[in-house]
Amino acid sequence: MYYDKLDDFPPDFLWGAASAAYQIEGAYDEDGKGPSIWDVYAHQPGNTFNGTTGDVAIDHYHHMAEDVALMAKMGLKAYRFSVAWARVIPDGDGAVNEAGLDFYRRLIRELKQNGIEPVLTLYHWDLPQALQDKYGGWESREVIPAFAKYCRTLFTAFKDDVKYWVTFNEQNVFTGLGYRWGNHPPKVQDVRRMFAANHIVNLANAIAIKLFHELVPNGLIGPSFGYGPVYPLTGAPTDVLAAVNADDFNNNWWLDVYCRGEYPYFMEKTLTRMGLMPDVTDADRALLKQAHPDFLGINYYHGGTVQQNRLEKPVAEAAKKDFSATDPYLMQPKEDQAQSPEVPMFNAVANPYLKKTDWGWEIDPVGFRVGLRQVYEKYRLPLFVTENGLGAVDQLANGEVDDQYRIDYLAAHLRTMKEAITDGVEMIGYCAWSFTDLLSWLNGYRKRYGFVYVDRDDDGPKQLRRIPKKSYYWYQQIIAQNGAQI
Ligand code: BG6
C-alpha cells in the first residue's frame, strides 16, 4: 500500500452477507415446492460428500425471523439471498405457488422492517427438475421463456420493495461444473455442450435484464460473476501469453458478454477453430447487445496462475475430451505442472507465493484489489462484491467459536477493497459469504463460512441452534464504524 491515508467507504456502503436458497432453506418439499435439480442430484448416492443434502439444510425456512433478528442485531445493511425457482413455480413454467412466493414476501418484509436492504438473486443453481426432464435444462432454448416468466413473477411481486437484483450466480461456475467437469447436475462432461448451454444462459440473462428495465425502472440489476485475476507464473513471454489466454477463457468469455454485449473476439475465433463455438444467430447477437446491467456482481475467492501449456497440442486435437489433474471445483491444479490438454492455450499451476485454506484455495487479498481494478478499468460499471469469505473447520468450545482466522481473512480483503476504493473503483457494497453456516454443495456441513455457527453436521440437523461466532461481533464493529478501523 503506497497511500498515507485511505479514502473512507462511501456513507451508504452496503455492508452485507449472503446465502443461497438450497444451501440454507431446507423444507425441500413443503408448501407446494417442486423438486429442483439439486434435490434430485443430492438424493442420488455418491453425488455429494457424505451423501449430504439440502432437505433440511439449516432450516432457514422455519427459522427466518430468528435469522433476520440476528442480522438486525449485527447491524447488517444488506442481505443477499436467492429465490428457489421451484418454490415459486413448482414445475418451472406452470402455475405460481402463492405459498412459496409468500415465504419471500415475508422475508423481504422482515428485512425491510429491520432496515436491511434485500439483494435478491434470481438463480443460484437450483433449476426446477421439471425443466430438466421436459426440455433438457439449460441445453434447450425452451427454458428461456420459462425463466422470463419466473422473472416477471418476481419483478411484479417485489418491484416496490427490492432495489438490488442479481440475475445469475456464477454462470461460469455452474456451467463449468455441470457440463464440463460433471460434478454438479446434470453431470455432463462435454466441453462443447458446456459452451452451448452457457450461450443459452447468456440469452436468458439478457432477456431478464431487458424485462427488468421495463418493469422495475427504479431498480438495479446485474449478474454475479465468479471472478479471479490471472497471473503468469514467470515473466517469460510465453507465460504472459498464457495468462492473456486464460483471462480470455476464464473471465472475458462471460464478462464481455455481460458488459459489452458481445463475445471476445480472439476467443471466439479460437473456439470456432476448435469446433466448440456455440450456435449464435444474428438475433442472439442483437439481443446480447440490448441488455445493459446496472452493476457487476463480483464473487471473489481467489485468482489463478498459469504457464505455457507444455503439451502444445494443436487446438483441433485438444478439443477432444480429455480431463487433466486440475481440480474442477478449485479451478486450480491438484499438483504443480498439471497439464490441461483440453484447453491448450494455458496451463494452471499453483502460485508459489500464496498460502492456502484448509480446502486448498489460495488466499490472495492483493488479487482482490488487482481484480477489482482490472474489471472496473475495463467495464466502468459499479461493482458489488456479492461473495467473499473463508471456508474452514470451526470448533464450538464452551458455547463459543473463536474464528480469528476468518477475521484475519476478511480484514485483509476489506483492507485491499478499501485500497481499491482509494484507487478509484466505484463500489456499491460487500456481502461476505456467508451469514450463517450453510451447506457446501460438494463439501457438506463441515466446511463453514458463517458469522453465525449452526449446530448441525453431516450426520443430522441436531438442535440447529444459532451461535454468533467471534467474527460476528467483529463485523458488527466494522459496520458500526463504516469500516473506519480497516
Ligand atoms: C460460490 C458459490 O461458488 O462459492 C456458493 O456461489 C458456494 O454457493 C461458495 O457455497 C463456496 O463454495 P464451497 O464449495 O466452499 O461451498
Side-chain angles (χ1 to χ4, degrees):
M1 211 279 287
Y2 34 78
Y3 299 115
D4 52 359
K5 186 178 175 314
L6 297 181
D7 287 1
D8 293 336
F9 284 97
D12 52 355
F13 190 74
L14 291 177
W15 295 100
S19 70
Y22 184 71
Q23 297 177 274
I24 61 165
E25 285 180 3
Y28 79 109
D29 62 354
E30 268 183 58
D31 294 338
K33 178 178 172 294
S36 77
I37 53 173
W38 268 96
D39 291 317
V40 173
Y41 181 79
H43 280 169
Q44 290 161 353
N47 280 346
T48 61
F49 184 73
N50 279 345
T52 43
T53 72
D55 290 4
V56 177
I58 60 146
D59 201 27
H60 171 71
Y61 193 75
H62 298 112
H63 288 70
M64 184 269 281
E66 181 187 350
D67 291 341
V68 176
L70 279 167
M71 294 174 203
K73 198 171 158 210
M74 192 193 216
L76 216 60
K77 305 275 188 218
Y79 173 57
R80 173 178 178 239
F81 62 94
S82 77
V83 171
W85 183 346
R87 206 179 277 295
V88 174
I89 304 182
D91 68 356
D93 59 359
V96 171
N97 173 32
E98 282 302 328
L101 199 56
D102 193 53
F103 170 70
Y104 298 105
R105 194 173 283 123
R106 285 185 286 117
L107 168 63
I108 291 165
R109 192 189 310 133
E110 199 78 24
L111 290 168
K112 302 239 359 163
Q113 279 172 357
N114 283 287
I116 302 167
E117 189 78 53
V119 180
L120 190 159
T121 303
L122 291 158
Y123 187 84
H124 201 126
W125 306 356
D126 47 356
L127 184 78
Q129 178 67 33
L131 297 178
Q132 190 66 40
D133 296 341
K134 203 158 142 194
Y135 301 126
W138 290 114
E139 292 187 87
S140 164
R141 288 178 183 244
E142 307 261 18
V143 173
I144 300 173
F147 184 66
K149 177 181 173 182
Y150 160 67
C151 290
R152 180 183 287 277
T153 305
L154 295 185
F155 295 160
T156 308
F158 302 133
K159 64 177 187 315
D160 296 327
D161 297 311
V162 179
K163 180 173 176 194
Y164 295 94
W165 298 69
V166 171
T167 51
F168 285 92
N169 179 71
E170 296 187 357
Q171 182 183 335
N172 53 330
V173 174
F174 83 78
T175 53
L177 296 178
Y179 296 90
R180 181 179 179 198
W181 303 105
N183 54 9
H184 272 203
K187 230 178 165 176
V188 171
Q189 290 190 345
D190 184 329
V191 74
R192 187 174 287 103
R193 286 171 66 182
M194 176 195 84
F195 283 115
N198 182 67
H199 178 61
I200 289 170
V201 181
N202 279 333
L203 300 176
N205 180 67
I207 284 189
I209 290 176
K210 275 187 67 179
L211 187 64
F212 180 84
H213 286 138
E214 283 165 31
L215 298 179
V216 197
N218 298 323
L220 300 171
I221 194 164
S224 278
F225 184 67
Y227 181 72
V230 184
Y231 306 129
L233 180 64
T234 72
T238 45
D239 285 354
V240 174
L241 178 63
V244 171
N245 288 337
D247 196 30
D248 257 356
F249 190 85
N250 292 343
N251 295 321
N252 301 337
W253 188 248
W254 286 271
L255 291 177
D256 276 17
V257 173
Y258 293 150
C259 306
R260 293 181 168 163
E262 61 189 28
Y263 283 108
Y265 173 78
F266 294 114
M267 174 93 177
E268 177 163 349
K269 187 158 186 226
T270 304
L271 287 191
T272 304
R273 286 178 80 111
M274 293 171 89
L276 297 177
M277 185 63 197
D279 291 333
V280 183
T281 66
D282 288 347
D284 292 349
R285 290 190 196 274
L287 171 65
L288 296 179
K289 271 281 178 206
Q290 289 162 20
H292 302 289
D294 302 297
F295 65 86
L296 184 62
I298 295 287
N299 291 0
Y300 177 78
Y301 291 91
H302 56 74
T305 302
V306 299
Q307 63 175 182
Q308 179 190 24
N309 190 311
R310 304 245 170 76
L311 291 183
E312 289 286 314
K313 279 192 183 183
V315 289
E317 193 188 329
K320 288 177 197 150
K321 199 168 73 177
D322 187 0
F323 293 90
S324 72
T326 302
D327 185 306
Y329 203 68
L330 305 183
M331 312 225 178
Q332 289 173 11
K334 280 184 174 151
E335 299 153 22
D336 284 0
Q337 317 289 315
Q339 300 293 320
S340 307
E342 187 199 13
V343 182
M345 298 88 81
F346 62 91
N347 183 39
V349 293
N351 188 310
Y353 299 99
L354 298 175
K355 294 205 175 90
K356 294 180 177 173
T357 71
D358 295 344
W359 269 266
W361 293 24
E362 288 177 344
I363 300 173
D364 183 14
V366 176
F368 193 27
R369 180 179 177 184
V370 172
L372 294 172
R373 279 268 299 271
Q374 285 181 340
V375 171
Y376 187 70
E377 176 64 31
K378 196 162 171 202
Y379 302 111
R380 284 303 157 91
L381 278 174
L383 303 183
F384 194 161
V385 174
T386 39
E387 283 183 34
N388 170 241
L390 174 71
V393 180
D394 293 336
Q395 301 296 345
L396 179 64
N398 305 320
E400 293 179 1
V401 179
D402 182 352
D403 57 344
Q404 184 59 44
Y405 39 87
R406 180 167 295 109
I407 295 173
D408 294 344
Y409 179 99
L410 294 172
H413 286 76
L414 293 184
R415 174 83 188 175
T416 54
M417 184 174 67
K418 199 174 185 183
E419 289 168 4
I421 288 172
T422 307
D423 292 334
V425 176
E426 189 185 350
M427 304 268 325
I428 295 173
Y430 171 91
C431 288
W433 185 264
S434 49
F435 182 67
T436 55
D437 288 340
L438 40 69
L439 170 67
S440 171
W441 305 91
L442 297 180
N443 304 284
Y445 292 94
R446 198 161 165 259
K447 188 177 190 185
R448 295 172 184 271
Y449 280 90
F451 289 121
V452 176
Y453 186 90
V454 180
D455 75 332
R456 72 148 297 157
D457 56 26
D458 292 356
D459 296 330
K462 295 179 159 177
Q463 303 286 313
L464 293 165
R465 271 180 312 140
R466 272 66 171 150
I467 302 158
K469 303 178 192 175
K470 189 176 178 184
S471 57
Y472 174 97
Y473 299 105
W474 168 81
Y475 199 51
Q476 190 176 46
Q477 290 305 313
I478 296 287
I479 299 170
Q481 297 182 41
N482 197 32
Q485 66 276 58
I486 288 292

